[in-house]
């Protein structure tokens, strides 16, 4: 019988090129629970990197690479993390469908040796599905440090497959694993046994299942528990009469239990995995280093002691990203490399090669007096190099680079999921869960990249809420640097008004969006990895991979945005927008008319808006002459600009990720809302401040 086609979820994750994947029947599919080091093993096998993270959901798409094993080329595929072949999420369905539809592959199940029970629960399902696989006991060093001893030989004998201890980040056990892969994986003869009622039902359903892909018994289990994701595939290859018969059997068996059949089967399968586990695992004494790591891990999630630990982490991150990245490195690249060398060199070359003022204006902005700033804001100088590349490379790149390094350290150390646990209750009230920490923290580096990582949220409703909050009130690091420079000159009370307003707005908008938007949230289940010392090699590879993403995906958007502003300025569109916005800015927000230009420029560069206002007020701030009215103006302007439209690169990413209808709706909400909040803050501060 023709094998069933992949389910639609597999296509949504990215249609796989089967000619590439199964060439010469030398293909490896990595499968395993979330957070077990599959991506690290993928990188060790292929030399190619996908984001390696302790945070669940980082590897959300199928990733492919090539490896040379025993002198032969192999294709390697890294699938999304899964706990079950009876899927409960889209990621799990993608992995199940890949295993079901591909042919001629060698599967490698990557298992966390510290949590063998969870890995064996998946291994029993792979065995039942008759998939040839090799079991890699990853993080074997951490298991040993915690006092776990695994009888590898007995586990191999009981499952009837090859079992190899590995430490992927250090490439330990990699040679032995490659030898087992080259020898060919074996299908495990192990079969979990269920109670008599379920076994009798499986005996009736199994003969009705199509051949090909999974073993008939595994398909029968999925059909018995009512796996709706399998229904279209069964409907294509099983007659309506047989489908009706399966439904009748399921109803009869389900009536015997107070719980769902899915739960009953999972519980009995877990009991089989427990028996395997208890037969091969013994526990001894943990090392002193492991004990200290567990204590630090416990303190980092404690409601009280976790707060000072978080404060230390945030302070270190600010010094590294805010001071070194946004200060020292940006100043060097922008004022020395670009302003003193690159832009003058390109200007001279353009004038020599193409003595046409329009071409010069297009690349480096207009010459002479036309390039002068107006109230500290660049007017008319929208050159591709002088603005687009200067912003993307001289300003944003050093900030996101230092941020990516800091973020990779948090990932590799295991602290990031602990932060998710601490903040889960807060996000829960906003219709989200602790997983939202990842895009929110990334947004402090670059909102454009953070919008893409919103994919890790499990439901569309959650992804839309995260995208909305990122666009609304999470300032990128370039903008934060200017905000910090301005608030440092303000009294503490004025700074508190700004910070409290932005945080309150984020919380209220998230809460209201959770009430208004259709759909459901998702449960928050998270296994905390151990705290560990970050590996310098991992951090370097992660950072380089993310910088590559930034240069490939985000930098072109800055150039496109510069081109749009150049055309608007060239044909008078910017001046028209400024004149239209001036009455609103001056009349409703009580801001100087120069702020209108700042808001327009903020659409290209979020920090341009704040920087323009900073330069406008700088003489008063440096001279200590900020009046009460000026302090209110600065707070109102910072609140409005922070909540105002995202930069054009982020807007394009929103359109790409969420669709044009959602993107336009988000923009249509943010613009009047930001102005409205600014107006309210203006009135409240004039009454109360």
């Amino acid at each position: 019988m023709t094998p069933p086609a992949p389910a639609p979820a597999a296509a949504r994750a990215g249609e796989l090129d089967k000619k590439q994947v199964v060439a010469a029947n030398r293909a490896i599919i990595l499968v395993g629970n979330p957070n077990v080091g599959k991506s690290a093993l993928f990188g060790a096998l292929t030399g190619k990197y996908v984001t390696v993270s302790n945070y669940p959901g980082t590897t959300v798409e199928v990733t492919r690479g090539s490896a040379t094993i025993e002198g032969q080329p192999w294709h390697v595929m890294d699938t999304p993390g899964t706990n079950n072949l009876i899927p409960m999420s889209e990621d799990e369905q993608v992995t199940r469908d890949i295993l079901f539809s591909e042919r001629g592959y060698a599967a490698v199940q990557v298992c966390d040796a510290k949590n063998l029970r969870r890995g064996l629960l998946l291994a029993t399902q792979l065995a039942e599905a008759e998939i040839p696989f090799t079991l890699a006991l990853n993080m074997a060093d951490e298991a040993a440090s915690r006092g776990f001893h695994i009888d590898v030989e007995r586990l191999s004998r009981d499952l009837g497959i090859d079992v190899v201890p590995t430490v992927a980040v250090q490439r330990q056990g990699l040679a032995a694993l490659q030898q087992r892969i080259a020898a060919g994986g074996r299908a495990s003869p192990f079969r979990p046994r269920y109670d008599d009622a379920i076994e009798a039902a499986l005996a009736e359903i199994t003969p009705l299942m199509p051949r090909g892909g999974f073993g008939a018994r595994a398909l029968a289990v999925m059909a018995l528990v009512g796996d709706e994701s399998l229904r279209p595939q069964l409907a294509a290859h099983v007659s309506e009469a047989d489908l009706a018969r399966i439904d009748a059997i399921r109803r009869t068996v389900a009536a015997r239990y107070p719980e769902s059949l899915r739960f009953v089967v999972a519980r009995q399968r877990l009991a089989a995995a427990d028996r395997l586990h208890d037969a091969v695992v013994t526990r001894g004494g943990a090392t002193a280093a492991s004990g200290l790591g567990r204590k630090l891990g416990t303190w980092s999630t404690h409601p009280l002691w976790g707060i000072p630990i978080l404060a230390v982490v945030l302070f270190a991150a600010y010094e590294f990203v805010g001071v070194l990245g946004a200060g020292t490195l940006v100043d060097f690249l922008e004022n020395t490399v670009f302003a003193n060398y690159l832009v003058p060199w390109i200007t001279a070359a353009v004038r020599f090669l193409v003595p046409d003022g329009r071409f010069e204006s297009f690349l480096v902005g207009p010459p002479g007096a036309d390039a002068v700033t107006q109230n500290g804001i660049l007017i008319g100088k929208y050159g591709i190099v002088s603005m687009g590349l200067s912003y993307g490379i001289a300003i944003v790149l050093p900030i996101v680079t230092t941020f990516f390094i800091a973020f990779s350290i948090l990932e590799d150390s295991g602290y990031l999921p602990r932060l998710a646990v601490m903040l889960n209750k807060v996000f829960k009230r906003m219709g989200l869960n602790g997983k939202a920490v990842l895009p929110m923290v990334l947004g402090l580096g670059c909102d454009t990249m953070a919008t893409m990582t919103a994919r890790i949220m499990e439901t569309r409703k959650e992804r839309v809420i995260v995208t909305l909050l990122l666009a609304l009130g999470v300032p990128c690091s370039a903008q934060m640097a200017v905000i910090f420079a301005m608030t440092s000159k303000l009294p503490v009370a004025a700074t508190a008004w700004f910070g409290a307003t932005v945080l309150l707005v984020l919380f209220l908008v998230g809460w209201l969006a959770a009430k208004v938007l259709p759909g459901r949230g998702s449960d928050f289940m998270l296994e905390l990895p151990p705290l560990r010392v970050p590996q310098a090699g991992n951090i370097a590879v992660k950072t380089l991979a993310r910088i590559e993403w930034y240069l490939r995906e985000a930098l072109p958007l800055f150039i496109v945005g510069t081109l749009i502003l150049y055309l608007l300025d060239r044909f008078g569109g910017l001046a028209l927008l400024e004149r239209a916005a001036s009455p609103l800015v001056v009349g409703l927000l009580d801001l100087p008319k120069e702020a209108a230009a700042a808001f327009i420029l903020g659409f290209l560069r979020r920090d341009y808006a704040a920087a323009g206002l900073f330069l406008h007020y700088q003489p008063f701030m440096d001279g200590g002459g900020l009046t009460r009215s000026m302090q209110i103006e600065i707070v109102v302007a910072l609140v409005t600009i922070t909540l105002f439209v995202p930069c054009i690169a982020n807007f394009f990413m929103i359109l790409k990720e969420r669709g044009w209808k959602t993107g336009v709706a988000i923009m249509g909400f943010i613009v009047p809302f930001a102005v409205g909040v600014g107006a309210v803050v203006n009135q409240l501060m004039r009454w109360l401040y």
Side-chain angles (χ1 to χ4, degrees):
M1 180 175 292
T2 304
R12 287 193 298 270
E15 191 64 31
L16 303 178
D17 185 349
K18 292 189 178 183
K19 291 183 179 179
Q20 179 184 9
V21 173
V22 217
N25 287 331
R26 288 193 296 267
I28 303 168
I29 296 180
L30 300 181
V31 62
N33 309 105
N35 245 12
V36 296
K38 285 190 301 87
S39 296
L41 186 59
F42 177 89
L45 287 170
T46 65
K48 178 182 176 181
Y49 179 76
V50 291
T51 303
V52 181
S53 173
N54 288 323
Y55 197 90
T58 300
T59 308
V60 295
E61 294 182 332
V62 175
T63 307
R64 294 167 291 177
S66 58
T68 301
I69 299 176
E70 299 289 313
Q72 298 294 325
W74 288 72
H75 294 290
V76 186
M77 192 188 316
D78 184 18
T79 61
T82 183
N83 293 306
N84 209 320
L85 295 186
I86 302 176
M88 299 182 66
S89 69
E90 185 179 25
D91 282 355
E92 289 186 337
Q93 184 176 342
V94 167
T95 298
R96 194 276 310 275
D97 290 342
I98 290 171
L99 293 172
F100 183 80
S101 61
E102 296 299 330
R103 298 291 182 269
Y105 60 82
V108 176
Q109 183 197 347
V110 186
C111 171
D112 181 358
K114 304 185 305 298
N115 194 351
L116 184 60
R117 176 177 279 106
R118 184 175 67 150
L120 289 178
L121 181 59
L122 180 59
T124 60
Q125 298 175 70
L126 294 173
E128 193 169 52
E130 301 177 22
I131 295 174
F133 71 104
T134 301
L135 182 61
L137 298 180
N138 199 31
M139 307 184 200
D141 56 336
E142 294 180 2
S145 70
R146 292 189 171 201
F148 291 105
H149 174 73
I150 301 174
D151 188 340
V152 175
E153 291 185 2
R154 178 166 181 181
L155 180 59
S156 176
R157 186 170 61 252
D158 290 350
L159 283 175
I161 60 171
D162 292 320
V163 180
V164 182
T166 62
V167 183
V169 294
Q170 300 176 14
R171 302 180 66 87
Q172 293 181 13
L174 185 63
L177 180 62
Q178 289 176 324
Q179 290 177 356
R180 301 297 191 279
I181 293 172
R186 293 177 287 168
S188 171
F190 181 86
R191 298 290 182 272
R193 298 293 300 175
Y194 306 103
D195 63 32
D196 292 342
I198 292 177
E199 286 292 343
L202 293 178
E204 291 188 66
I205 296 175
T206 299
L208 306 179
M209 295 294 101
R211 297 298 182 264
F214 289 171
R217 178 180 171 88
L219 293 176
V221 172
M222 296 174 188
L224 179 63
V225 302
D227 180 6
E228 289 299 323
S229 66
L230 189 69
R231 190 80 178 187
Q233 301 180 36
L234 291 181
H237 301 282
V238 178
S239 68
E240 291 186 8
D242 286 342
L243 287 175
R245 182 181 172 190
I246 293 171
D247 290 339
I249 294 171
R250 180 171 60 253
R251 288 192 295 269
T252 301
V253 177
R256 300 172 61 94
Y257 305 96
E259 305 96 348
S260 68
L261 278 179
R262 180 188 290 262
F263 177 81
V264 172
V265 167
R267 182 177 58 195
Q268 295 184 22
R269 187 183 281 142
L270 179 60
D274 283 341
R275 289 190 291 271
L276 273 175
H277 174 275
D278 295 342
V280 300
V281 177
T282 55
R283 185 75 182 269
T287 64
S290 175
L292 177 61
R294 284 201 302 274
K295 288 181 180 179
L296 286 175
T298 302
W299 294 339
S300 65
T301 56
H302 191 275
L304 178 61
W305 301 118
I307 295 176
I309 292 176
L310 174 60
V312 170
V313 170
L314 292 178
F315 175 77
Y318 170 74
E319 287 293 316
F320 184 64
V321 179
V323 177
L324 175 63
T328 306
L329 296 180
V330 167
D331 181 67
F332 172 73
L333 286 174
E334 184 178 28
N335 298 324
T336 301
V337 176
F338 270 78
N340 293 342
Y341 295 100
L342 191 59
V343 173
W345 289 349
I346 294 178
T347 301
V350 169
R351 288 177 179 174
F352 177 75
L353 296 173
V354 186
D356 187 327
R358 290 172 297 180
F359 192 67
E360 177 186 346
S361 175
F362 174 72
L363 286 180
V364 293
D370 292 338
V372 175
T373 60
Q374 187 181 94
N375 295 304
I377 303 171
L378 283 170
I379 299 296
K381 192 171 182 178
Y382 303 113
I384 296 298
V385 176
S386 59
M387 175 178 275
L389 289 181
S390 176
Y391 175 52
I393 295 178
I395 296 178
V396 177
L397 182 59
I399 297 172
V400 298
T401 298
T402 51
F403 180 83
F404 289 158
I405 293 172
F407 188 79
S408 298
I409 292 173
L410 293 179
E411 280 186 308
D412 217 48
S413 66
Y415 180 74
L416 194 60
R418 286 166 170 79
L419 181 60
V421 171
M422 286 188 63
L423 299 179
N424 181 54
K425 290 184 179 179
V426 175
F427 282 114
K428 199 69 177 176
R429 296 184 180 276
M430 300 162 64
L432 302 170
N433 59 48
K435 285 185 179 182
V437 164
L438 177 60
M440 290 299 182
V441 174
L442 267 177
L444 298 174
C446 177
D447 282 314
T448 305
M449 183 174 189
T451 299
M452 178 177 284
T453 62
R455 297 174 184 175
I456 69 166
M457 307 308 294
E458 294 183 10
T459 67
R460 184 182 184 278
K461 177 179 180 178
E462 291 174 330
R463 291 190 288 271
V464 171
I465 293 176
V466 168
T467 303
L468 171 62
L469 296 181
L470 284 170
L472 177 66
V474 179
C476 66
S477 50
Q479 185 183 14
M480 283 182 63
V482 182
I483 290 174
F484 284 146
M486 294 188 71
T487 54
S488 66
K489 306 292 184 179
L490 292 175
V492 175
T495 303
W497 269 89
F498 166 72
T501 300
V502 173
L503 291 176
L504 181 62
V505 165
L506 278 175
F507 181 82
L508 288 178
V509 169
W511 181 77
L512 288 172
K515 300 292 184 184
V516 172
L517 292 177
R520 62 175 184 84
S522 61
D523 296 327
F524 181 60
M525 294 183 293
L526 179 63
E527 180 188 357
L528 295 179
L531 285 180
R532 58 172 69 93
V533 177
Q535 300 289 319
N538 288 350
I539 294 170
V541 174
K542 292 179 191 182
T543 303
L544 289 174
R546 286 172 173 145
I547 291 174
E548 179 191 0
W549 172 90
Y550 168 78
L551 295 175
R552 185 180 65 252
E553 298 287 340
L555 186 60
L557 297 181
F558 295 134
I559 296 174
V560 171
T562 304
L563 178 60
I564 292 174
L565 280 181
Y566 171 82
L567 294 174
L568 284 174
D569 179 60
R570 184 85 176 172
F571 295 102
L574 280 183
L576 182 63
L577 289 173
E578 290 171 18
R579 287 196 298 270
S582 291
L584 188 67
V585 171
V586 176
L588 190 60
L589 300 179
D590 288 330
L591 296 178
K593 58 184 177 56
E594 292 80 15
F599 287 129
I600 301 300
L601 289 177
F603 186 46
L604 173 69
R605 292 173 49 164
R606 298 189 78 171
D607 60 311
Y608 257 17
L613 293 169
F614 174 78
L615 294 172
H616 176 77
Y617 288 104
Q618 188 176 21
F620 305 100
M621 292 189 291
D622 292 342
L626 281 178
T627 64
R628 172 181 174 273
S629 179
M630 286 182 177
Q631 293 173 17
I632 294 174
E633 286 179 11
I634 291 174
V635 172
V636 171
L638 287 180
V639 167
T640 308
I641 287 171
T642 301
L643 300 178
F644 203 57
V645 293
C647 69
I648 195 167
N650 189 21
F651 178 62
F652 285 159
M653 186 61 70
I654 293 173
L655 296 179
K656 177 182 176 183
E657 291 291 306
R658 305 278 83 86
W660 71 270
K661 289 183 179 179
T662 301
V664 171
I666 289 176
M667 184 70 76
F669 167 76
I670 287 177
V671 173
F673 181 78
V675 175
V677 171
V680 171
V681 171
N682 178 45
Q683 294 301 320
L684 289 177
M685 288 192 71
R686 294 189 185 279
W687 292 339
L688 303 175
Y689 180 67

